Amino acid sequence: MIEVKEVLGAAEEKMEEAVMYLEEALAHIRAGKANTKILDGVRVESYGSLVPLNNVASITTPDARTIAIKPWDKNMFRPIEKAIMDSSVGITPENNGEIIRLGIPPLTEERRKQLAKQCKGEAENAKVSVRNARRDTIDKLKKGIKDGLSEDLEKDAEDELQKMHDRYIKKVDELYANKEKEIMTV
């Protein structure tokens, strides 16, 4: 016989993972102001291997339009600049011998709309994941009836699952709305 609490716990875990993935995906989308997260995917050649940028330099945002990268080793300026140029960041680094600066250009209206559309796609993917977790759990509960789970317990579990689903869908909508507002604010 299936344990209802375990099944619902597993569903909540999957829904939580979908929301966490969305938060991470939205953090990597550039919204017109400096955010060190946009450099998370940049890998730098260091001593024969590719390492994350934050392993070879400190990354800060001195103001809303600038990201400052200060390499710990002076020999790393060229590899860091090359890695940024080769990445999908789309910003040309400026080097003054002490620090590498990335000037974040203001977004055009067209680019803002593209980014908002990209965010909407990420939010939709998260919603699909939450819905899939609900569907899989309902299937497990239905099979549980065949294994001796009472129909009342199954209905109660489904109601609880629906509330959980609605809560996570609302979280996804809130995350998307906040990111869209951030992108569209000039």
Side-chain angles (χ1 to χ4, degrees):
M1 190 159 125
I2 66 167
E3 190 62 43
V4 174
K5 279 189 173 29
E6 283 179 21
V7 173
L8 290 177
E12 185 163 25
E13 201 172 299
K14 285 180 184 171
M15 291 178 188
E16 184 65 40
E17 285 173 9
V19 170
M20 286 170 32
Y21 175 80
L22 177 64
E23 286 175 340
E24 188 70 23
L26 292 179
H28 286 91
I29 295 175
R30 188 163 60 100
K33 59 183 187 199
N35 182 354
T36 59
K37 288 257 189 206
I38 65 171
L39 296 173
D40 282 356
V42 177
R43 299 277 183 256
V44 180
E45 178 78 29
S46 175
Y47 301 109
S49 63
L50 288 174
V51 296
L53 178 58
N54 60 4
N55 286 7
V56 295
S58 64
I59 305 169
T60 58
T61 52
D63 61 60
R65 294 263 180 238
T66 310
I67 296 176
I69 304 164
K70 187 167 174 61
W72 294 317
D73 181 0
K74 295 282 185 205
N75 298 330
M76 292 304 296
F77 277 99
R78 288 272 173 253
I80 289 173
E81 286 180 324
K82 182 180 181 330
I84 292 170
M85 294 294 283
D86 293 346
S87 74
S88 63
V89 173
I91 301 170
T92 307
E94 301 165 17
N95 174 358
N96 68 3
E98 289 289 316
I99 210 163
I100 298 171
R101 292 187 193 284
L102 297 180
I104 309 293
L107 297 173
T108 63
E109 187 64 30
E110 184 179 322
R111 182 68 177 137
R112 287 177 193 281
K113 287 179 181 168
Q114 284 176 341
L115 290 173
K117 194 174 182 181
Q118 183 182 350
C119 290
K120 187 166 184 66
E122 293 289 351
E124 279 306 313
N125 289 342
K127 284 182 179 182
V128 167
S129 296
V130 170
R131 289 183 192 121
N132 286 343
R134 178 185 61 178
R135 187 197 60 226
D136 294 345
T137 304
I138 287 174
D139 290 346
K140 284 181 188 170
L141 291 170
K142 296 271 189 226
K143 285 180 186 166
I145 291 177
K146 292 176 185 153
D147 296 339
L149 181 69
S150 75
E151 286 186 24
D152 289 345
L153 274 176
E154 189 266 344
K155 283 291 176 210
D156 291 345
E158 264 189 51
D159 291 344
E160 195 173 323
L161 180 65
Q162 186 61 42
K163 287 176 187 164
M164 188 188 307
H165 166 269
D166 295 344
R167 193 171 63 241
Y168 281 100
I169 291 292
K170 187 177 176 204
K171 271 187 189 176
V172 167
D173 287 337
E174 287 171 0
L175 286 169
Y176 167 64
N178 291 341
K179 188 65 176 186
E180 184 183 40
K181 183 179 172 195
E182 182 184 336
I183 289 172
M184 292 312 223
T185 303
V186 179

